[in-house]
Amino acid sequence: MMKRDINVAGGCAGMCVDLTLFPLDTVKTRLQSQQGFYKAGGFRGIYAGVPSAAVGSFPNAAAFFVTYECTKSLLGAGGVLSPPHMAPVTHMLAASLGEIVACLIRVPTEVVKQRTQASPSSTTYNILLATLREEGVRGLYRGFGSTVLREVPFSLVQFPLWEYLKTLWSRRQGHTLYSWQAAVCGAFAGAVAAFVTTPLDVAKTRIMLAKAGSTAASGNIPLVLYDVWKSRGLTGLFAGSIPRMTFISVGGFIFLGAYEKVRRTLL
């Protein structure tokens, strides 16, 4: 399959998810913010920050899937990682590399989006200008390390689990899965990965929303997590886990299901 086709499949799937489930993402961001859910806007302006998500969604998803599929093909083509029993390692490496490349696009859009979600009275454009004025381009990449540290463990759980469930199910029924079946596997794998990595997501949100020059803004993940633990305990570390799991499991269903469907149509 050509890279252009992977681009289209991944990009379409990503846009479907990000725009359909945006309100859940806003609720999650506000639950995780330092000022608390209601001070961050509560249920008001639930689509605040959607332009940023819309702009970054297609290229972000496409960048991930091009890297994921190409790395998977290269690693599986020959050598140590080509035997079937090494497939989970191949999927882990491919997914991790895919996330790192996608973060180059994801982080700036995420910074602007989350700051707008936590300040619904402002606009996406004003937040972008304020970030560039106060912190320059570096401000748009605040939280890059914490985003990668959230995404890589997430992918290490989600993608091998997704591929494993698909293999298991297709073996049981004796033929390749339909798109909806691949989507169900994606939903389950996404929910598990989402719950496990919620504390890292909380740290990422706090770092991106922190005032410039503050301790949290420095991006020290253990310090941020300790601060959350001290002030809010275990519930603070797993703040927003329910909307996050819902977003990612429904998202996994749409994203991975649509991806399989588009990919097969383009083949």
Side-chain angles (χ1 to χ4, degrees):
M1 194 173 73
M2 287 157 56
K3 284 183 191 178
R4 180 179 53 81
D5 297 340
I6 302 169
N7 248 318
V8 174
C12 289
M15 277 192 79
C16 279
V17 175
D18 289 345
L19 302 179
T20 312
L21 302 175
F22 192 82
L24 274 175
D25 186 59
T26 304
V27 169
K28 184 213 73 169
T29 298
R30 290 174 182 176
L31 282 167
Q32 292 177 348
S33 69
Q34 197 153 10
Q35 70 250 54
F37 181 69
Y38 290 104
K39 282 185 182 172
F43 291 105
R44 288 182 298 110
I46 212 82
Y47 278 94
V50 80
S52 181
V55 168
S57 182
F58 191 98
N60 168 42
F64 172 81
F65 270 108
V66 167
T67 312
Y68 178 68
E69 290 290 348
C70 292
T71 308
K72 211 165 68 164
S73 303
L74 286 169
L75 293 174
V80 190
L81 298 173
S82 53
H85 70 274
M86 292 301 286
V89 179
T90 304
H91 299 147
M92 283 178 182
L93 291 171
S96 300
L97 193 60
E99 291 295 359
I100 292 165
V101 171
C103 277
L104 295 169
I105 298 163
R106 183 179 301 146
V107 172
T109 59
E110 188 87 354
V111 166
V112 174
K113 181 199 74 177
Q114 289 207 304
R115 289 179 183 183
T116 313
Q117 286 173 328
S119 319
S121 53
S122 194
T123 65
T124 298
Y125 182 65
N126 287 342
I127 293 283
L128 173 63
L129 287 184
T131 303
L132 287 170
R133 192 170 56 244
E134 289 166 27
E135 301 175 70
V137 177
R138 281 188 64 166
L140 292 176
Y141 280 92
R142 163 116 62 89
F144 182 84
S146 59
T147 307
V148 169
L149 280 171
R150 176 197 68 173
E151 297 297 359
V152 170
F154 177 86
S155 289
L156 290 179
V157 176
Q158 187 193 28
F159 279 86
L161 186 57
W162 180 51
E163 300 279 5
Y164 171 73
L165 292 170
K166 284 196 299 177
T167 307
L168 200 67
W169 200 347
S170 64
R171 205 178 286 153
R172 285 272 168 89
Q173 67 182 20
H175 61 80
T176 315
L177 297 188
Y178 299 111
S179 297
W180 71 266
Q181 291 173 311
V184 169
C185 295
F188 182 77
V192 172
F195 181 74
V196 170
T197 56
T198 297
L200 293 170
D201 189 52
V202 171
K204 183 215 66 130
T205 300
R206 290 291 185 96
I207 289 164
M208 284 185 174
L209 296 180
K211 284 190 171 71
S214 65
T215 317
S218 67
N220 187 323
I221 298 164
L223 204 67
V224 171
L225 288 173
Y226 178 69
D227 188 52
V228 174
W229 166 262
K230 215 168 53 178
S231 57
R232 295 198 197 174
L234 199 62
T235 51
L237 290 174
F238 283 89
S241 59
I242 291 169
R244 176 169 159 78
M245 284 171 73
T246 310
F247 182 101
I248 289 170
S249 65
V250 176
F253 186 87
I254 301 169
F255 188 57
L256 298 171
Y259 174 69
E260 288 277 318
K261 184 79 178 167
V262 176
R263 194 178 73 153
R264 285 172 196 178
T265 310
L266 291 169
L267 274 171

